[in-house]
C-alpha cells in the first residue's frame, strides 16, 4: 500500500517536472519603453580589475535615471588554497540574480 502511494507521488513529481516550460519572449520582443537595463563589464588595467555595473531606468520611453558602480580588485588574489591554479578575477564567470 505504502509502496504504491510512494510510486504514485514520484510519478506525479516526475510528470510535473517534465512539463513544457513557459515560452520565453525573445529579447527583441520585450517592451523597452519601461524597463531597467543593466550592463555588466569587466575592464583590466595592468594588475587591477574594474567590475562595472551600469544601470539605466526607462519609463514611457524616457530615461529617468542612470548610475554606474565600480568595484576594484587585484587581478590575482593571495589565498591559502594549496591549488596554484587560482583563476584571475577578469576570467571568473558572472552570475546574475534577479529579484
Amino acid at each position: 500500500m505504502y509502496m504504491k502511494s510512494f510510486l504514485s507521488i514520484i510519478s506525479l513529481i516526475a510528470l510535473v517536472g517534465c512539463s513544457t516550460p513557459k515560452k520565453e519572449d525573445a529579447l527583441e520582443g520585450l517592451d523597452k519603453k519601461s524597463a531597467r537595463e543593466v550592463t555588466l563589464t569587466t575592464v583590466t588595467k595592468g594588475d587591477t580589475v574594474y567590475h562595472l555595473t551600469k544601470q539605466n531606468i526607462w519609463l514611457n520611453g524616457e530615461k529617468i535615471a542612470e548610475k554606474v558602480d565600480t568595484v576594484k580588485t587585484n587581478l590575482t588574489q593571495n589565498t591559502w588554497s594549496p591549488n596554484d591554479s587560482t583563476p584571475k578575477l577578469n576570467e571568473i564567470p558572472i552570475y546574475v540574480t534577479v529579484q
Side-chain angles (χ1 to χ4, degrees):
M1 177 68 177
Y2 290 112
M3 186 63 150
K4 196 176 209 182
S5 298
F6 178 74
L7 289 175
S8 297
I9 292 172
I10 294 297
S11 298
L12 181 62
I13 291 171
L15 182 63
V16 171
C18 295
S19 65
T20 306
K22 288 176 34 178
K23 182 184 173 211
E24 292 185 15
D25 293 330
L27 188 57
E28 296 82 19
L30 296 176
D31 177 22
K32 297 175 191 160
K33 292 181 181 178
S34 297
R36 186 170 79 172
E37 172 188 11
V38 179
T39 306
L40 303 173
T41 308
T42 302
V43 177
T44 305
K45 299 256 181 170
D47 63 348
T48 304
V49 179
Y50 299 94
H51 309 273
L52 306 162
T53 304
K54 180 178 181 181
Q55 295 188 56
N56 294 310
I57 300 175
W58 302 85
L59 183 63
N60 296 325
E62 189 176 328
K63 187 189 294 188
I64 61 169
E66 177 180 0
K67 183 165 184 185
V68 177
D69 292 310
T70 304
V71 175
K72 179 180 163 185
T73 62
N74 292 327
L75 181 60
T76 57
Q77 297 295 310
N78 294 328
T79 65
W80 290 98
S81 173
N83 187 359
D84 289 333
S85 63
T86 304
K88 295 180 180 177
L89 288 178
N90 63 347
E91 299 172 345
I92 59 174
I94 298 172
Y95 294 94
V96 178
T97 303
V98 179
Q99 294 182 344

